[in-house]
Structure formats: structure tokens, C-alpha cells
Amino acid sequence: MKKILKQTRSFYWILSVLMVFGIASCRKDTVQTGGKGAPKVTRVRYLSKTDTIENVSHPVNLDSANVYNDIKVVPFDSTVVAGRLNTQYAIVGENLLSTTKVLVNGKQVYFNPALVTDNIVIFTVSADVPFGPTQTNKLTVVTTQGTVDYDFGILQPPPVITSFTPLAAGAGDIVTITGSVLAGATVKFDDTPATVIGTPTDTEVKVQVPAGIVQAYLYVTTSGGTSKSAAAFGFKSVLYDEALQNGWGNYDGYGSTRNFKDTQHPKRGLYAIATTVDNGYGALQIGYGGATLNAKTKGFTALKFSIYGGAGIKDGDKVRVVINGGYGDGVSVVVTMKAGVYTDYTIPLSQLGDPGNINEFVMQTQGTAAPATFYVDDIGFI
């Protein structure tokens, strides 16, 4: 009996050893091999074929009135010789399994180590990768077995428009556009070319307003593409620009005095409207005395203006903006002022009662400690 038990124990001990060796052998079979020699890059490609559409024309439609045709019909080829910022690509080559770094123009970028094989490395061109004529235009792959460089440039991204000032100006006036990747830019007001003043920098370009421009979007073009401003420049109809315009006139009332030729704080040019209130609900009141001004037929969508907090105005003091005497909620809008600073506002007419015929414009303080003065410039409809 003891002999049988001893033989049984021996059998299970031998079986356990065989199982351990079997599992270890299976694990060894699943480990990838490769990366033994010097790395080699044969090409860089889009991550997948779904990244582009085969044999299709690509018109660039900027808006309904401006179509910039950039039509190219080419057979699909996933290989690329240059990349774009914030885009993923795949490196195709040999002996890539032991990759430790990927650099583009000397800048280390992210690659997914979990997806690395001996023939593929997936990497991302991050937004901070440098580009331009002073760069090496090299993709560098570093492995434990060596380093390889591959010709791979970075394409200039489209320009970015952050803002422009002034919001409105006359023909020949200077508009300053700020943003990024603006070097070498040309500018159009809709489809009218503008004269660039000086040499554009990476963050700023100055242009003259072309003749005949009342309202237009700004289009900035560089070798990286064309970008459109989020807001329109100018007005479809001006209410105040250096003086009351197009049939608008002063109304007296609300316990306030107004100076339409004030020179202390113009937003641009020489003048702004100074309104001094002697009670908490004083106001700037302007009436329309011209022919019928119909917002619908004129195509107005919003009211645009700039307001400055002068003497007696504190940060956060409020003004109610009213069209046609509608002072209630839903048909008027309350905006805040900043002391010593102009603030730009664009208010959709849908928030101002969605008026048809427009006959009055009011900006009324809301409990401001009197006396106090606020200034308004560049008022109009867009």
C-alpha cells in the first residue's frame, strides 16, 4: 500500500513539472521576436485607407458666395512624404520592435508601444512639432539596435484668426488681424483683395480696408490654406461712426446729457458718444428719422456696438439695450461694462424682440450710482 502511494505521489510530481514546462513553452511562443538588426524605414502612410476618399474631387467651399475650387482627382495612395499637425501616421519598415523614441524635426512625439510590431510603429504628429524652411524635415526612429532618419516634412497648417480690430472702419483705414501662423498672409474682405501693410508676422497682419466695403468676412490665406473670420467686419447699416449716420438723430430725455463728438475715449478715429447720467436709470436714446428701416428686408441679424466705462462706472455696472421701446425680458438685453476698457458686443435681433421696422435705440443704465459717464462707439446692424 505504501509503495502504491509513493508511486502515485511521484506521478503527480512529474505531471506538475511537465505542466510548468508546457506553460512556459507556450508563453515563449507568444512573445514577438524581431528588432534584432538596425532599424529601417521604407515609407510613412496614413493610418488607414479610410483617412482619404479614393478618386474624388475636393472643392473648398468657404461660404455660399465664395467658392475656392481646389479640385484634385488622384488615385488613392496611403503613402505620404509630409505630415500635418495633430494627425496620426504609421511608420512602415523593418526591425522596429524595439523602438524607444520617435522624433519629428527633433521634437519627440508620442507613439503607441502596445501597437508596435517589427514592421509598424503608429505615431502622432503633435501640435507643438516645429515646421517651416529652417527645419530638418526628418523623421527619426530610435531603437535599442540603432537610429534611422527618414525624409518627412511637416506641412504648414492653415492660419488661425483670433481677432481683428477695429470691428468697423472706413476705406483706407488699417485693420489689425491677430492669430497664429500668419506669416506671408494675404487678405480678402469677402472676395475683394486688401493691401497688406508692412510684413506679416506669425501673430499679426495689418491691412487697409478696400473701398466700398460696408460689411464683409475676412479671409486670410497662406501657403497652409485659407481661414475665414468667425465674425464679420463692418456693418450692413451704420448707426454711429464718428457721427450719427443714415437718418439717426439724438433724443433728449432720461435725465442725461450726450456728447456725440467726445474726444476723450474714442474706440477708433476721433470721436465717441459720451453719455453722462444724473440718476441710476439715465440713458443714451437715439431715434430713427429717415425712411422706413426694416430689419427683415435689409437682412439685419444682429446689433453690434462697443461700450466703455468712464468716470463713475465700476466693473460690472449694467446697461439695458432696447430696440423700439421693448424694456421687458426677452425683448431687451442687459450687458455689463468695464471701467476704463471698451467691451465689444454683438446681440442677435432675435433677443431684442426680433423687430421689423426699427425706430429707436436705447442704452439705459440699471441702478448705476450717478453721476457717471459711459462711452459708445461703432454702433450698427449686421
Side-chain angles (χ1 to χ4, degrees), residues 68-349:
Y68 287 70
N69 289 313
D70 181 19
I71 300 174
K72 299 176 182 178
V73 181
V74 294
F76 177 81
D77 182 358
S78 62
T79 300
V80 293
V81 296
R84 293 190 179 277
L85 302 182
N86 299 312
T87 306
Q88 280 190 326
Y89 298 95
I91 300 168
V92 181
E94 300 173 9
N95 300 322
L96 302 177
L97 186 63
S98 62
T99 296
T100 59
K101 290 182 182 179
V102 176
L103 301 95
V104 181
N105 284 340
K107 175 70 177 181
Q108 187 169 337
V109 298
Y110 174 78
F111 71 93
N112 192 334
L115 300 179
V116 172
T117 72
D118 208 36
N119 302 108
I120 297 288
V121 177
I122 295 172
F123 73 102
T124 302
V125 180
S126 51
D128 56 355
V129 169
F131 58 88
T134 63
Q135 301 302 317
T136 61
N137 292 328
K138 295 291 184 182
L139 168 69
T140 302
V141 179
V142 181
T143 74
T144 59
Q145 305 300 309
T147 300
V148 61
D149 285 333
Y150 183 79
D151 290 338
F152 186 74
I154 298 300
L155 299 172
Q156 179 174 324
V160 176
I161 303 171
T162 302
S163 63
F164 59 86
T165 185
L167 299 179
D173 288 342
I174 305 300
V175 173
T176 301
I177 303 167
T178 57
S180 58
V181 206
L182 299 178
T186 60
V187 179
K188 289 184 176 182
F189 286 67
D190 282 343
D191 57 358
T192 302
T195 299
V196 174
I197 304 301
T199 302
T201 68
D202 192 55
T203 59
E204 183 180 281
V205 56
K206 294 179 180 290
V207 295
Q208 278 186 315
V209 179
I213 298 299
V214 177
Q215 186 196 36
Y217 285 95
L218 302 182
Y219 292 90
V220 177
T221 299
T222 67
S223 58
T226 298
S227 295
K228 174 184 176 182
S229 61
F233 167 86
F235 302 97
K236 289 182 178 178
S237 180
V238 177
L239 194 157
Y240 178 89
D241 172 13
E242 299 292 275
L244 292 172
Q245 303 283 326
N246 302 322
W248 290 91
N250 176 34
Y251 282 5
D252 290 321
Y254 289 91
S256 307
T257 58
R258 305 163 193 84
N259 179 1
F260 290 86
K261 292 288 185 180
D262 187 89
T263 60
Q264 292 187 69
H265 299 293
K267 174 76 183 295
R268 62 177 184 86
L270 299 176
Y271 306 116
I273 304 172
T275 301
T276 300
V277 299
D278 60 13
N279 64 75
Y281 292 89
L284 167 66
Q285 183 186 25
I286 303 172
Y288 185 70
T292 301
L293 182 64
N294 189 290
K296 306 297 184 182
T297 59
K298 297 288 187 180
F300 302 160
T301 60
L303 170 73
K304 185 160 69 171
F305 61 88
S306 300
I307 186 168
Y308 178 102
I313 299 295
K314 305 183 301 297
D315 285 354
D317 278 354
K318 296 177 172 55
V319 166
R320 183 176 293 275
V321 181
V322 180
I323 296 290
N324 293 351
Y327 287 84
D329 293 336
V331 293
S332 62
V333 172
V334 174
V335 301
T336 59
M337 294 180 286
K338 292 183 179 179
V341 177
Y342 264 106
T343 305
D344 302 325
Y345 285 100
T346 300
I347 303 176
L349 291 182

